[in-house]
Amino acid sequence: MDRRRFIVLGTAGSVAVLTGCGGGGGGGGGASMPGMASSPPPVIPPTIPLVTGLTKGQPLAELPRLANTSATAGAFEATLVAERTNVALLPDTTTEFWSYNSEVPGPLIDVFEGDTARIRLENRLPQETTVHWHGLPVPPEQDGNPMDPIAPGSSRTYEFTLPVGSAGTYWYHPHTHEHTAEQVFRGMAGLFIVRSRTDPVPAGIDEKLLVISDLRLASDGSIPANTAMDWQNGREGNYLLVNGQYQPTLGINPGQSQRWRILNATNSRYLRLSLDQHSFTLIGTDGGLLAAPVPGVAEILLAPAQRVEVIVTAGLTAGASATLRSLPYDRGSMGMGMMGSGASTIPLLSVRYSQSAVLPVAMPTALRPLAPLGAPVAYKHLVLSSGIGMGMMSAGGMMQFLIDGRSFDPTRVDLTSRVDQVEQWTVENRSSMDHPFHLHGTQFQVVSRARGGATIPEPTLAWRDVVNVAAFESVVFKVEQSQLGRRMYHCHILEHEDQGMMGVLEVLA
Ligand code: C2O
Ligand code: CU
Ligand code: CU
């Protein structure tokens, strides 16, 4: 099937072809306002300065931890400061990031099921922000929705309790109306782990945390604004970073098993992960562990905002090394250029074997009980689409990104659900590019996917809060919301979300 049937009205000579890692970079500037009210997209310079060399090969850094300032058992209290920070990446210059507590990525929040978190956000940025607790079942008014902004210079405290059963790998990021994409690509995102006191993975299996982000760095060390192309296809940078580092190295002992928790914190890059000469054992997805390990997984497609937990077992000989890569993946495109992630294989991390072999640690055959949600009592059908906006035929043409034919309106309720009722949602993508669909407030279970007349049942029962809906594909999932109030659902290509590919679900009694 031709995924590029809908070609944007291009403007030859003014559309930069982003060549992805090692190639692109954007000098364009401007194009800063999403939505239909913005002025025509500026012309993008045809030549973009190439960046030479971030340092590679450093040992993988552990994520800094957000310290708990409470001495009370079961309480987690801390402050996140949204602020600008300068990091030395290129020689003779620094790069200004927007950050949490001056860390890029943000500090790790690491709590247990049952804990109550009280996290204060102090906004020292020149614009509004919020903190969204992506994937966590927190009450709507604590979820950092775009309708609850924190003004520059002010602060608020988010408070929520992590229920038993919520153990998993989550993350936090801003969710500001029309500025989520920018705040995230400038550095604001952090990992949020909820642990179970009865985690079935043996303690002898070391845990490694991999936060993958996408940085576009201009040759002067600055992080350029989105171009008109970025607003269409979603921004991709020229460096993929792991824990803020460029192609770092991770040590492993022959025979050792490690548990990797991996977050795709990029705005729009699809990571098709593979590790040379190794397979993964998949043990968890967005919302925590599977019922049982799935061994022998050669590659994992991690769409923006998705997380996985895998076991990597070092089966090669002492001194060996292997590279974790992102393989080519065609996510379609609204524009004229071949997407970077579509065309290239990108090294992310180098795994280096030590000389000292260790005895293998066996994994349990069962991880946790996981039952399919019951028979649905209500059904929803959502349509993702895009088209050229009215009155926006100037320059490169401005796409509209829509759900059910509408653009986000914070004052409108688009869908309603009843609390504690199982629903079946069909999300149909009628556009020529993939959209990672995300729903707030709970986790869902994908049932099947349909494409080109064929329906493929989902092979593994899993909890997810993001599912990729490929171009011209429909995805069916079951879901149940357990808290009253308004929840967001949207495309997690953050440029699309900022331009209105988002709706409001109200959960009613
Ligand atoms: Cu990770 Cu509504 O977002
Ligand atoms: Cu979310
Ligand atoms: Cu999208």
Side-chain angles (χ1 to χ4, degrees), residues 372-384 422-429 435 437 439 443-451 454-470 472-480:
L373 288 170
V377 296
Y379 294 81
K380 287 184 166 56
H381 189 120
L382 283 71
V383 175
L384 311 178
V422 177
E423 296 189 348
Q424 180 167 300
W425 291 34
T426 302
V427 182
E428 180 190 351
N429 183 353
H435 298 285
F437 183 83
L439 171 63
Q443 299 284 319
F444 51 76
Q445 295 177 343
V446 175
V447 175
S448 63
R449 299 165 201 253
R451 198 169 172 181
T455 298
I456 301 158
E458 187 73 353
T460 308
L461 185 62
W463 289 116
R464 299 183 183 280
D465 55 56
V466 177
V467 65
N468 187 44
V469 190
F472 303 113
E473 181 182 59
S474 288
V475 171
V476 177
F477 61 77
K478 288 199 284 188
V479 65
E480 184 178 31

Side-chain angles (χ1 to χ4, degrees), residues 201-220:
V201 178
I205 293 184
D206 265 16
E207 183 177 270
K208 302 291 173 190
L209 308 177
L210 308 179
V211 174
I212 301 174
S213 62
D214 196 353
L215 175 67
R216 184 184 303 160
L217 203 54
S219 52
D220 65 356

